[in-house]
Amino acid sequence: MSAAKYGRLKNFIGGQFIDSTADRVIPVISPLDGTFLAEVPCSTATDLDAAVRSARAAFPRWSRTPIKERVQVLFRYRHLLETNLQELAALISEENGKTLGEAVAEADKCIELTEFATSLPQLVTGEVLEVSRGVECRTEHVPLGVVASIVPFNFPAMVPNWTIPNALALGNCMILKPSEKVPLSAQKIANLLMEAGLPEGVFNIVNGDSGIVESICDHPRIEAVSFVGSTRIARLVYQRTTQHLKRCLALGGAKNHLLVLPDAKPDMTAQNVAASMSGCAGQRCMAASAMVAVGNIEPIIDKICEEARKIVPGKNLGAVINRESKERIERYITEAEQQGAKVLVDGRGARVPGKENGTYVGPTVIDYVRPDMAIATEEIFGPVISIMRVDTLDDALDIENANPYGNAASVFTQNGGYARYVIDRASAGMIGVNVGVPVPREPFSFGGWNESKFGVGDITGKSSIEFWTRLKKSTVKWNPEAGVNWMS
Ligand code: NAD
């Protein structure tokens, strides 16, 4: 193998990029064309200790800096994200495999997330009330201390920015554990934060895979852990951190259903379905993966196929993360076909000329999928939509409700009553009406239900305030005349 384009990556501790003490590294390969990008160290507990020490040292000063001053760093970071947008987007695309357009949209979303964090001084005000003559009670949101954020491969910059700006604005010091598959964007983020004037030690990066995640869960000086990734690992991380009595919010995988009614607008529905199932090569936790066709919607299914055929790998469709993932997705399609489903648009065996080492799967539409097939119930994480046919909206909701996940569900209809019926009955945290990817924008918060999220509250928006802070309640008596038993 030739030398890695970005060499061996370092951790970021105390404001410096420093070598890990790891003796094991993992290669980082671009899904776009197989380029050997970097080697990422599997950091050790010693590395994590160094990061925690640096974050703890920074915490007293950072947490006592007034919030209006703390967010000045984020105003500058936001500006730097804008001036470095193309460079960050190129890195996202290179390491993750998404198209440049999708990577630009991801970098834009980082800006929006940071903008929300700069508004936190307006939102975290406490409460005060004279509860008895001359006696006040007040509440304040105070930071937790050293916190950690563990993130997945599918949004190398956006998911870290779900947590970094809010947690830091609220006065915490953070350790980020990037996905070992896409560790490069995080290095750029660290550079931008330093350029924005973030004090050393407030933000740190420790690279690695499962071993370092376990060390984070166990570390006695890490107060809270946010996790985003698959349900299997979210469950492990939630159980392990809470066993150590830490606060944890662990977002997991998804199987999002689109319920399409016969009165849906055909063009709009088809475009939304195709975009939702294929955007970021289907590797979004909000991607449409199962479509339930209620009654006769033949013309809409025809249009979905038409839209899907316009999606071309290497042009307006990126790569899936690696060969293993490509093979797994194609296996699901083949198995469903063998079990009697009908492949209307087939993305298996996709090749992009000149990028033979890229890992592409073409858009795939499969009809007559039965609810008991693996492709109908499991997360596929590829540009694949499975269509199930039912007679009534209640049948469609039964299928949606039976799935153990609960990130998103959408309904396509022109009837407000049916839409409300679905909003009330779908078992998912985020619902769309004629919207294929119903991601709530800030100040609304992002978070699923059921096996798509373990823990209380949501990860972004106003809900994140509760996660990244704790309440201090003080009772203050200014009236010397008030009796000792002032409560009575
Ligand atoms: P993943 O669970 O494999 O990895 C996520 C993180 O966990 C990574 O940092 C990884 O290093 C670490 N990890 C992996 N195996 C581990 C183990 N055995 N023990 C401890 N840590 C381990 O997820 P992924 O493949 O990187 O990302 C895709 C998944 O993330 C999909 O399931 C997707 O739905 C989900 N996701 C969910 C959301 C959401 O908001 N609910 C958002 C983005 C992605």
Side-chain angles (χ1 to χ4, degrees), residues 218-441:
D218 296 348
H219 202 290
R221 298 294 186 181
I222 295 178
E223 308 299 335
V225 175
S226 75
F227 173 91
V228 181
S230 61
T231 290
R232 188 172 71 83
I233 312 301
R235 186 183 277 111
L236 288 176
V237 166
Y238 187 80
Q239 285 170 338
R240 195 155 174 157
T241 48
T242 53
Q243 190 191 338
H244 288 289
L245 308 179
K246 291 187 206 311
R247 188 178 286 199
C248 183
L249 185 59
L251 275 61
K255 184 81 188 173
N256 306 312
H257 291 69
L258 303 182
L259 279 44
V260 181
L261 275 63
D263 71 341
K265 290 262 187 218
D267 288 334
M268 181 183 74
T269 304
Q271 283 158 11
N272 266 273
V273 173
S276 179
M277 65 91 143
S278 70
C280 298
Q283 300 174 120
R284 286 190 287 204
C285 63
M286 295 294 279
S289 173
M291 182 182 127
V292 194
V294 182
N296 181 359
I297 62 156
E298 255 8 269
I300 299 179
I301 293 176
D302 289 346
K303 276 191 190 288
I304 291 170
C305 293
E306 234 173 79
E307 289 297 326
R309 288 192 189 96
K310 294 182 197 161
I311 300 166
V312 181
K315 290 204 169 100
N316 53 354
L317 180 66
V320 298
I321 189 68
N322 54 28
R323 191 151 300 282
E324 190 191 340
S325 183
K326 174 179 162 70
E327 287 168 3
R328 186 180 47 76
I329 296 163
E330 295 188 341
R331 248 194 331 270
Y332 272 114
I333 302 169
T334 303
E335 194 185 289
E337 193 177 38
Q338 286 164 351
Q339 292 170 350
K342 193 169 161 198
V343 182
L344 302 180
V345 181
D346 192 351
R348 285 170 291 185
R351 301 258 177 287
V352 174
K355 294 185 175 172
E356 280 69 23
N357 290 325
T359 45
Y360 296 86
V361 178
T364 302
V365 181
I366 315 178
D367 202 356
Y368 297 103
V369 169
R370 286 193 317 273
D372 61 336
M373 292 179 181
I375 203 163
T377 55
E378 294 172 17
E379 182 173 42
I380 311 297
F381 233 48
V384 179
I385 188 96
S386 301
I387 303 177
M388 288 169 273
R389 308 244 182 175
V390 297
D391 293 330
T392 69
L393 184 52
D394 283 330
D395 295 339
L397 281 163
D398 284 348
I399 291 176
E400 193 281 333
N401 285 185
N403 195 272
Y405 295 106
N407 229 29
S410 292
V411 59
F412 288 83
T413 180
Q414 288 303 302
N415 181 313
Y418 290 149
R420 185 69 238 180
Y421 195 81
V422 172
I423 292 172
D424 289 342
R425 288 165 181 78
S427 184
M430 294 171 279
I431 310 290
V433 176
N434 298 318
V435 172
V437 185
V439 174
R441 293 181 74 168

